[in-house]
Coordinates of all heavy atoms in Angstrom, one line a residue:
W315 N 123.7 123.5 93.3 CA 124.2 124.6 92.5 C 123.3 125.9 92.8 O 123.9 127.0 92.8 CB 124.1 124.3 91.0 CG 125.1 123.3 90.6 CD1 126.3 123.0 91.2 CD2 125.1 122.4 89.4 NE1 127.0 122.0 90.5 CE2 126.3 121.7 89.4 CE3 124.1 122.2 88.5 CZ2 126.5 120.7 88.5 CZ3 124.4 121.2 87.5 CH2 125.6 120.5 87.5
Q316 N 122.1 125.7 93.0 CA 121.2 126.8 93.4 C 121.6 127.4 94.8 O 121.7 128.6 94.9 CB 119.7 126.3 93.5 CG 118.7 127.4 93.6 CD 117.3 126.9 93.6 OE1 117.0 125.8 94.0 NE2 116.4 127.7 93.0
L317 N 122.0 126.5 95.7 CA 122.4 127.0 97.0 C 123.8 127.7 96.8 O 124.0 128.7 97.4 CB 122.6 125.8 97.9 CG 123.2 126.1 99.3 CD1 122.3 127.0 100.1 CD2 123.4 124.8 100.1
Q318 N 124.7 127.1 96.0 CA 126.0 127.7 95.7 C 125.9 129.1 95.2 O 126.7 130.0 95.5 CB 126.8 126.8 94.8 CG 128.1 127.3 94.4 CD 128.8 126.5 93.3 OE1 128.5 125.4 93.1 NE2 129.7 127.2 92.5
S319 N 124.9 129.4 94.4 CA 124.7 130.7 93.8 C 124.1 131.7 94.7 O 123.8 132.9 94.4 CB 123.8 130.6 92.5 OG 122.5 130.3 92.8
G320 N 123.7 131.3 95.9 CA 123.0 132.1 96.8 C 121.6 132.4 96.4 O 121.0 133.4 96.6
Y321 N 121.0 131.3 95.8 CA 119.6 131.4 95.3 C 119.4 132.6 94.3 O 118.4 133.3 94.4 CB 118.6 131.4 96.4 CG 118.6 130.1 97.2 CD1 119.3 130.0 98.4 CD2 117.8 129.1 96.7 CE1 119.3 128.8 99.1 CE2 117.8 127.8 97.4 CZ 118.5 127.7 98.6 OH 118.6 126.5 99.3
A322 N 120.4 132.7 93.4 CA 120.4 133.8 92.5 C 119.4 133.5 91.3 O 119.1 134.3 90.5 CB 121.8 134.1 91.9
F323 N 118.9 132.2 91.3 CA 118.0 131.8 90.2 C 116.9 130.9 90.8 O 117.2 130.2 91.8 CB 118.7 131.2 89.0 CG 119.3 129.8 89.4 CD1 118.6 128.6 89.1 CD2 120.6 129.7 89.9 CE1 119.2 127.4 89.4 CE2 121.2 128.5 90.2 CZ 120.4 127.3 90.0
R324 N 115.8 130.8 90.1 CA 114.8 129.8 90.4 C 114.9 128.7 89.3 O 115.5 128.9 88.3 CB 113.4 130.4 90.4 CG 113.1 131.3 91.5 CD 111.8 132.1 91.4 NE 111.9 133.0 90.3 CZ 110.8 133.5 89.7 NH1 109.6 133.0 89.9 NH2 110.9 134.4 88.7
Q325 N 114.4 127.5 89.6 CA 114.5 126.5 88.6 C 113.2 125.7 88.5 O 112.3 125.7 89.5 CB 115.6 125.5 89.0 CG 115.5 124.8 90.3 CD 116.6 123.8 90.5 OE1 116.9 122.9 89.7 NE2 117.2 123.8 91.7
T326 N 113.0 125.0 87.4 CA 111.8 124.3 87.2 C 111.9 122.9 87.8 O 110.9 122.2 87.8 CB 111.5 124.1 85.7 OG1 112.5 123.3 85.1 CG2 111.4 125.5 85.0
G327 N 113.1 122.5 88.2 CA 113.3 121.1 88.7 C 113.4 121.1 90.2 O 112.6 121.6 90.9
G328 N 114.5 120.5 90.6 CA 114.7 120.3 92.1 C 114.0 119.0 92.5 O 113.5 118.2 91.7
Y329 N 114.1 118.7 93.8 CA 113.5 117.4 94.3 C 113.0 117.7 95.7 O 113.7 117.6 96.7 CB 114.5 116.3 94.3 CG 114.0 115.0 94.7 CD1 112.8 114.5 94.3 CD2 114.7 114.2 95.7 CE1 112.3 113.3 94.6 CE2 114.3 113.0 96.1 CZ 113.1 112.5 95.6 OH 112.6 111.3 96.0
L330 N 111.7 118.1 95.7 CA 111.1 118.5 97.0 C 109.9 117.6 97.4 O 109.3 117.8 98.4 CB 110.7 119.9 97.0 CG 111.8 120.9 96.8 CD1 111.2 122.3 96.6 CD2 112.7 120.9 97.9
G331 N 109.6 116.6 96.6 CA 108.5 115.8 96.9 C 107.9 115.2 95.7 O 108.5 115.1 94.6
Y332 N 106.6 114.7 95.8 CA 106.0 113.9 94.8 C 105.7 114.9 93.6 O 105.2 116.0 93.8 CB 104.7 113.3 95.2 CG 104.1 112.3 94.2 CD1 104.6 111.1 94.1 CD2 103.0 112.7 93.4 CE1 104.1 110.2 93.2 CE2 102.5 111.9 92.5 CZ 103.0 110.6 92.4 OH 102.4 109.7 91.4
T333 N 105.8 114.4 92.4 CA 105.5 115.3 91.2 C 104.0 115.5 91.1 O 103.2 114.6 91.2 CB 105.9 114.5 89.9 OG1 107.3 114.2 90.0 CG2 105.7 115.4 88.7
P334 N 103.6 116.8 91.1 CA 102.1 117.1 91.0 C 101.5 116.4 89.8 O 102.1 116.2 88.8 CB 102.1 118.6 90.9 CG 103.4 119.0 91.4 CD 104.4 118.0 91.1
T335 N 100.2 116.1 90.0 CA 99.4 115.4 88.9 C 99.5 116.2 87.6 O 99.5 115.7 86.6 CB 98.0 115.2 89.3 OG1 98.0 114.5 90.6 CG2 97.2 114.4 88.3
S336 N 99.4 117.6 87.8 CA 99.5 118.4 86.6 C 100.7 118.3 85.8 O 100.7 118.5 84.6 CB 99.3 119.9 87.0 OG 100.4 120.3 87.9
E337 N 101.8 117.8 86.4 CA 103.1 117.6 85.7 C 103.4 116.2 85.4 O 104.3 115.9 84.6 CB 104.2 118.2 86.6 CG 104.0 119.7 86.9 CD 104.4 120.6 85.8 OE1 105.4 120.2 85.1 OE2 103.8 121.6 85.6
H338 N 102.7 115.3 86.1 CA 103.1 113.9 86.1 C 103.2 113.3 84.7 O 104.0 112.4 84.4 CB 102.2 113.1 87.0 CG 102.7 111.7 87.3 ND1 103.8 111.5 88.2 CD2 102.3 110.5 86.9 CE1 104.0 110.2 88.3 NE2 103.1 109.6 87.5
N339 N 102.2 113.6 83.8 CA 102.2 113.0 82.5 C 102.8 113.9 81.4 O 102.5 113.7 80.2 CB 100.7 112.8 82.1 CG 100.1 111.7 83.0 OD1 100.8 110.8 83.5 ND2 98.8 111.8 83.3
D340 N 103.6 114.8 81.8 CA 104.3 115.8 80.8 C 105.3 115.0 80.1 O 106.3 114.4 80.7 CB 104.8 117.0 81.6 CG 105.2 118.1 80.6 OD1 106.1 117.9 79.8 OD2 104.6 119.2 80.7
A341 N 105.3 115.0 78.8 CA 106.2 114.3 77.9 C 107.6 114.9 78.1 O 108.6 114.1 78.0 CB 105.8 114.3 76.5
V342 N 107.7 116.2 78.3 CA 109.1 116.8 78.5 C 109.7 116.4 79.8 O 110.9 116.1 79.9 CB 109.0 118.4 78.4 CG1 110.3 119.0 78.7 CG2 108.5 118.8 77.0
L343 N 108.9 116.4 80.8 CA 109.4 115.9 82.1 C 109.9 114.5 82.0 O 110.9 114.1 82.6 CB 108.3 116.1 83.2 CG 108.7 115.9 84.6 CD1 109.7 117.0 85.0 CD2 107.5 115.9 85.6
S344 N 109.1 113.6 81.3 CA 109.5 112.3 81.1 C 110.9 112.2 80.4 O 111.7 111.4 80.6 CB 108.5 111.5 80.3 OG 108.9 110.2 80.1
A345 N 111.1 113.1 79.4 CA 112.3 113.2 78.7 C 113.5 113.6 79.6 O 114.6 113.0 79.5 CB 112.2 114.1 77.5
F346 N 113.2 114.5 80.5 CA 114.3 115.0 81.4 C 114.7 113.9 82.4 O 115.8 113.7 82.7 CB 113.8 116.2 82.2 CG 113.7 117.5 81.4 CD1 112.9 118.5 81.9 CD2 114.3 117.6 80.2 CE1 112.8 119.7 81.2 CE2 114.2 118.8 79.5 CZ 113.5 119.9 79.9
L347 N 113.7 113.1 82.8 CA 114.0 112.1 83.9 C 114.3 110.8 83.3 O 115.1 110.0 83.9 CB 112.7 112.0 84.8 CG 112.4 113.2 85.6 CD1 111.1 113.0 86.3 CD2 113.5 113.5 86.6
N348 N 113.8 110.4 82.2 CA 114.0 109.0 81.6 C 114.6 109.0 80.3 O 114.8 107.9 79.7 CB 112.6 108.3 81.5 CG 111.8 108.3 82.8 OD1 112.4 108.1 83.9 ND2 110.5 108.7 82.8
N349 N 115.0 110.2 79.7 CA 115.6 110.3 78.4 C 114.7 109.6 77.3 O 115.3 109.1 76.3 CB 117.0 109.6 78.5 CG 117.9 110.2 79.5 OD1 118.2 111.4 79.4 ND2 118.3 109.5 80.5
A350 N 113.4 109.6 77.5 CA 112.5 109.1 76.5 C 112.1 110.3 75.7 O 111.1 111.0 76.1 CB 111.3 108.4 77.2
I351 N 112.7 110.5 74.5 CA 112.4 111.7 73.7 C 111.2 111.4 72.9 O 111.1 110.5 72.0 CB 113.6 112.0 72.8 CG1 114.9 112.0 73.6 CG2 113.4 113.3 72.0 CD1 114.9 113.1 74.7
P352 N 110.1 112.2 73.1 CA 108.9 112.0 72.4 C 109.0 112.6 70.9 O 109.8 113.4 70.7 CB 107.8 112.7 73.2 CG 108.6 113.9 73.8 CD 110.0 113.3 74.1
P353 N 108.1 112.2 70.1 CA 108.0 112.9 68.7 C 107.7 114.4 68.9 O 107.0 114.8 69.9 CB 106.9 112.1 68.0 CG 106.7 110.8 68.8 CD 107.1 111.1 70.2
H354 N 108.2 115.2 68.0 CA 107.9 116.6 68.0 C 108.4 117.2 69.3 O 107.8 118.1 69.9 CB 106.5 116.9 67.8 CG 105.9 116.2 66.6 ND1 106.2 116.6 65.3 CD2 105.1 115.1 66.5 CE1 105.5 115.8 64.4 NE2 104.9 114.9 65.2
F355 N 109.6 116.8 69.8 CA 110.1 117.2 71.1 C 110.3 118.7 71.2 O 110.1 119.4 72.2 CB 111.4 116.5 71.4 CG 112.1 116.9 72.7 CD1 111.4 116.7 73.9 CD2 113.3 117.5 72.7 CE1 112.1 117.0 75.1 CE2 113.9 117.9 73.9 CZ 113.3 117.6 75.1
D356 N 110.8 119.3 70.0 CA 111.0 120.8 70.0 C 109.8 121.6 70.4 O 109.9 122.6 71.1 CB 111.6 121.2 68.7 CG 110.7 120.8 67.5 OD1 109.9 119.9 67.6 OD2 110.8 121.5 66.5
E357 N 108.7 121.2 69.8 CA 107.4 121.9 70.1 C 107.0 121.8 71.5 O 106.5 122.8 72.2 CB 106.3 121.4 69.1 CG 106.6 121.6 67.7 CD 105.6 121.0 66.8 OE1 104.8 120.1 67.3 OE2 105.6 121.3 65.6
Q358 N 107.1 120.6 72.1 CA 106.7 120.4 73.5 C 107.7 121.0 74.4 O 107.3 121.5 75.5 CB 106.6 118.8 73.7 CG 105.5 118.2 72.8 CD 105.3 116.8 73.2 OE1 104.8 116.5 74.3 NE2 105.6 115.9 72.2
L359 N 109.0 121.0 74.1 CA 110.0 121.6 74.9 C 109.7 123.1 75.0 O 109.8 123.8 76.0 CB 111.4 121.3 74.4 CG 112.5 122.0 75.2 CD1 112.6 121.5 76.6 CD2 113.9 121.7 74.5
G360 N 109.4 123.7 73.8 CA 109.1 125.1 73.8 C 107.9 125.5 74.7 O 108.0 126.5 75.4
F361 N 106.9 124.7 74.6 CA 105.7 125.0 75.5 C 106.1 124.8 77.0 O 105.7 125.7 77.8 CB 104.6 124.0 75.2 CG 103.3 124.3 76.0 CD1 102.4 125.2 75.5 CD2 103.1 123.8 77.2 CE1 101.2 125.5 76.2 CE2 102.0 124.1 78.0 CZ 101.0 124.9 77.4
Y362 N 106.9 123.8 77.3 CA 107.3 123.6 78.7 C 108.0 124.8 79.2 O 107.8 125.3 80.3 CB 108.2 122.4 78.8 CG 108.7 122.1 80.2 CD1 108.0 121.4 81.1 CD2 110.0 122.7 80.6 CE1 108.5 121.1 82.4 CE2 110.5 122.4 81.9 CZ 109.8 121.7 82.8 OH 110.3 121.5 84.0
C363 N 109.0 125.3 78.4 CA 109.8 126.5 78.9 C 109.0 127.7 79.0 O 109.1 128.5 80.0 CB 111.0 126.7 77.9 SG 112.2 125.4 77.9
V364 N 108.1 128.0 78.0 CA 107.2 129.2 78.1 C 106.3 129.1 79.2 O 106.0 130.0 80.0 CB 106.4 129.3 76.7 CG1 105.3 130.3 76.9 CG2 107.4 129.7 75.6
D365 N 105.7 127.9 79.4 CA 104.7 127.7 80.5 C 105.3 127.9 81.9 O 104.7 128.3 82.8 CB 104.1 126.3 80.4 CG 102.9 126.1 81.3 OD1 102.0 127.0 81.3 OD2 102.8 125.1 82.1
H366 N 106.6 127.5 82.0 CA 107.3 127.6 83.3 C 108.2 128.9 83.4 O 109.0 129.1 84.3 CB 108.2 126.4 83.5 CG 107.4 125.2 83.8 ND1 106.8 124.4 82.8 CD2 107.1 124.5 85.0 CE1 106.2 123.4 83.3 NE2 106.4 123.4 84.6
H367 N 108.0 129.8 82.4 CA 108.7 131.1 82.4 C 110.2 130.9 82.4 O 110.9 131.7 83.0 CB 108.2 132.0 83.5 CG 106.7 132.1 83.6 ND1 106.0 132.8 82.8 CD2 105.9 131.5 84.5 CE1 104.7 132.7 83.1 NE2 104.6 131.9 84.2
A368 N 110.7 129.9 81.8 CA 112.2 129.6 81.8 C 112.9 130.5 80.8 O 112.4 130.6 79.6 CB 112.4 128.1 81.5
A369 N 114.0 131.1 81.2 CA 114.8 131.9 80.3 C 115.8 131.1 79.5 O 116.1 131.5 78.4 CB 115.5 133.0 81.1
A370 N 116.2 130.0 80.1 CA 117.2 129.2 79.4 C 117.3 127.8 80.0 O 116.8 127.6 81.0 CB 118.6 129.9 79.5
I371 N 117.9 127.0 79.2 CA 118.2 125.6 79.7 C 119.7 125.5 79.9 O 120.5 125.9 79.0 CB 117.8 124.5 78.6 CG1 116.2 124.7 78.4 CG2 118.1 123.1 79.1 CD1 115.8 123.8 77.2
V372 N 120.1 125.1 81.0 CA 121.6 125.0 81.3 C 121.9 123.5 81.4 O 121.4 122.7 82.2 CB 122.0 125.6 82.7 CG1 123.4 125.4 82.9 CG2 121.6 127.1 82.7

Side-chain angles (χ1 to χ4, degrees):
W315 289 335
Q316 191 177 29
L317 175 64
Q318 178 190 333
S319 72
Y321 292 94
F323 67 94
R324 290 173 289 157
Q325 60 174 314
T326 66
Y329 183 46
L330 297 175
Y332 190 79
T333 304
T335 304
S336 60
E337 302 280 325
H338 193 71
N339 295 328
D340 194 295
V342 174
L343 193 62
S344 179
F346 288 162
L347 295 173
N348 306 314
N349 302 297
I351 309 301
H354 311 284
F355 178 62
D356 58 334
E357 298 174 346
Q358 299 186 63
L359 179 63
F361 184 90
Y362 176 89
C363 292
V364 169
D365 190 50
H366 290 79
H367 310 287
I371 302 172
V372 180

